[in-house]
Amino acid sequence: QVQLVESGGGSVQAGGSLRLSCTASEYSIDSACMGWFRQAPGQERETVASHYTGSGATTYAGSLKGRFTLSRDKNTVYLQLNSLKPEDTAMYYCVADRTCARIWSRIYNYRGQGTQVTVSS
């Protein structure tokens, strides 16, 4: 059973930056794709980005590309959040699954406990 542990959330002012980290307890074919989604209270879950270890491909939600950057080092993924806006306020969850298609379909083998990002204006 793969466990995902996130860190790096916090409170910043608009325009600021944060770096989120997520470490998987082990590598598994069932966690070949790792990514992030976010969810604000009363809003739908939004997939943010994913990375597939096989191809090295990174995919972003179109609206976030350019401000958010995902990188991966073995079993750890990082999500760099730049030029943050109040509407980026949400709980950010690290997820992992066998394929990125499943993650973008909101299906996850594994999910972390979440880390809160709060952006004030």
Side-chain angles (χ1 to χ4, degrees):
Q1 184 79 3
V2 176
Q3 294 184 332
L4 304 176
V5 179
E6 303 116 324
S7 62
S11 298
V12 296
Q13 291 190 328
S17 298
L18 285 172
R19 190 190 196 204
L20 309 183
S21 300
C22 170
T23 299
S25 57
E26 62 183 269
Y27 174 77
S28 164
I29 190 66
D30 290 331
S31 60
C33 183
M34 294 182 71
W36 297 85
F37 77 87
R38 67 183 185 180
Q39 189 164 25
Q43 296 189 20
E44 289 191 0
R45 188 176 300 184
E46 179 184 19
T47 307
V48 173
S50 67
H51 178 279
Y52 185 66
T53 190
S55 63
T58 303
T59 305
Y60 297 94
S63 61
L64 302 175
K65 192 173 183 178
R67 294 194 301 120
F68 291 8
T69 303
L70 188 150
S71 58
R72 183 169 181 173
D73 180 14
K74 296 181 181 178
N75 291 345
T76 298
V77 289
Y78 305 94
L79 187 65
Q80 180 69 39
L81 314 176
N82 293 330
S83 302
L84 283 163
K85 305 174 181 180
E87 52 263 43
D88 294 318
T89 296
M91 186 72 81
Y92 285 69
Y93 295 89
C94 178
V95 292
D97 202 280
R98 179 178 291 260
T99 73
C100 292
R102 284 169 56 87
I103 285 180
W104 286 91
S105 297
R106 306 178 185 179
I107 302 169
Y108 326 113
N109 278 332
Y110 308 107
R111 189 183 87 170
Q113 79 283 358
T115 186
Q116 178 69 39
V117 171
T118 302
V119 185
S120 58
S121 57

